[in-house]
């Protein structure tokens, strides 16, 4: 499905059993009010790229996110079906339903990942990154900057937020903090993985280590 977004053609796909059903997915969700079909079957951009639909950047970003979520829901459901009862998987999806499509799919994805975790089934390959820092003169505030730079080195998205994050300045001597991390894009949060900080203050010197466990598909 080729979509012209401000002169750039985006190729949307959503496959199942060898068939690309992205057109049906967008259409069944009422997307053709915003993703506009081109009359007479298609057109070309000024630089010669063929397209069949047009959409604004905002609309395209929302739909690409939703397609991304649906792909993961399909993939994890298929992987779980090799080891779990199909009724359990479907009940898990149904219990996570929401009226808004993007929120609904994000909740379904989170519920399926939790189900996989409960049954020790690996469905999303993870990569682990670790970095150590040493700061002098009690410069706690610099830790956040260093960790933020580290995030940019490994994560290919625009940004993330942490669940119940504890500020480094609150530690006294030693602390270990582990938080789940979610992406910042769109209205429905997608869990990316988690981040762990170990902070130790000894004689005015701060030793810190940061470990980022990130779903492989979000890594650079």
């Amino acid at each position: 499905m080729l979509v012209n977004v401000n002169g750039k053609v985006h190729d949307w796909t959503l496959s199942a059993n060898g068939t690309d059903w992205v057109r049906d997915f967008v259409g069944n969700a009422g997307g053709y009010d915003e993703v506009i079909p081109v009359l007479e079957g298609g057109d070309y951009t000024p630089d010669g790229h063929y397209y069949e639909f047009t959409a604004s950047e905002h609309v395209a970003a929302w739909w690409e996110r939703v397609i991304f979520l649906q792909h993961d829901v399909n993939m994890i459901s298929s992987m779980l079906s090799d080891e779990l009862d199909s009724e359990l998987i479907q009940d898990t999806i149904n219990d996570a339903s929401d009226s808004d499509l993007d929120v609904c799919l994000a909740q379904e994805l989170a519920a399926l990942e939790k189900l996989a975790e409960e049954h020790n089934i690996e469905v999303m390959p993870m990569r682990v990154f670790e970095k150590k820092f040493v700061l002098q003169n009690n410069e706690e505030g610099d830790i956040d900057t260093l960790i933020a730079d580290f995030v940019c080195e490994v994560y290919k998205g625009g940004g993330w937020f942490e669940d119940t994050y504890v500020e480094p300045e609150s530690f006294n001597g030693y602390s270990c903090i582990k938080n789940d991390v979610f992406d910042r894009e769109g209205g429905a949060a997608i869990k990316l993985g988690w981040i762990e900080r170990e902070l130790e203050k000894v004689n005015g010197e701060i030793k810190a280590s940061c470990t980022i466990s990130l779903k492989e598909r979000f890594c650079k």
Side-chain angles (χ1 to χ4, degrees), residues 52-111:
E52 305 154 295
F53 301 85
T54 61
S56 68
E57 289 186 1
H58 174 74
V59 167
W62 190 89
W63 275 104
E64 286 169 5
R65 177 185 183 79
V66 165
I67 292 167
F68 174 94
L69 287 167
Q70 184 66 65
H71 170 272
D72 278 3
V73 167
N74 293 349
M75 179 186 68
I76 294 180
S77 296
S78 177
M79 295 176 71
L80 291 176
S81 67
D82 292 336
E83 301 190 44
L84 300 178
D85 182 76
S86 59
E87 186 174 344
L88 173 61
I89 297 169
Q90 191 58 53
D91 286 346
T92 300
I93 291 173
N94 293 341
D95 290 344
S97 295
D98 189 279
S99 57
D100 294 326
L101 181 58
D102 59 335
V103 177
C104 177
L105 290 171
Q107 291 177 348
E108 289 178 6
L109 180 59

Side-chain angles (χ1 to χ4, degrees), residues 128-133 150 154 198 209-213:
V128 178
F129 306 88
E130 184 174 4
K131 202 163 192 177
K132 297 183 182 296
F133 313 98
F150 182 33
V154 301
E198 291 189 6
S209 67
C210 176
T211 301
I212 298 174
S213 300

Side-chain angles (χ1 to χ4, degrees), residues 126-141:
M126 305 289 291
R127 291 178 62 187
V128 178
F129 306 88
E130 184 174 4
K131 202 163 192 177
K132 297 183 182 296
F133 313 98
V134 177
L135 293 90
Q136 304 290 336
N137 302 319
N138 297 325
E139 296 171 331
E140 296 101 322

Side-chain angles (χ1 to χ4, degrees), residues 127-135 142-155 160 175 177 194-200 206-213 220:
R127 291 178 62 187
V128 178
F129 306 88
E130 184 174 4
K131 202 163 192 177
K132 297 183 182 296
F133 313 98
V134 177
L135 293 90
D142 290 342
I143 294 174
D144 270 352
T145 300
L146 292 171
I147 291 177
D149 291 343
F150 182 33
V151 169
C152 291
E153 291 176 16
V154 301
Y155 174 51
W160 67 25
S175 71
I177 302 165
W194 55 89
I195 184 169
E196 298 176 74
R197 295 168 169 79
E198 291 189 6
L199 307 172
E200 184 176 11
I206 297 175
K207 296 181 179 180
S209 67
C210 176
T211 301
I212 298 174
S213 300
K220 287 185 177 177

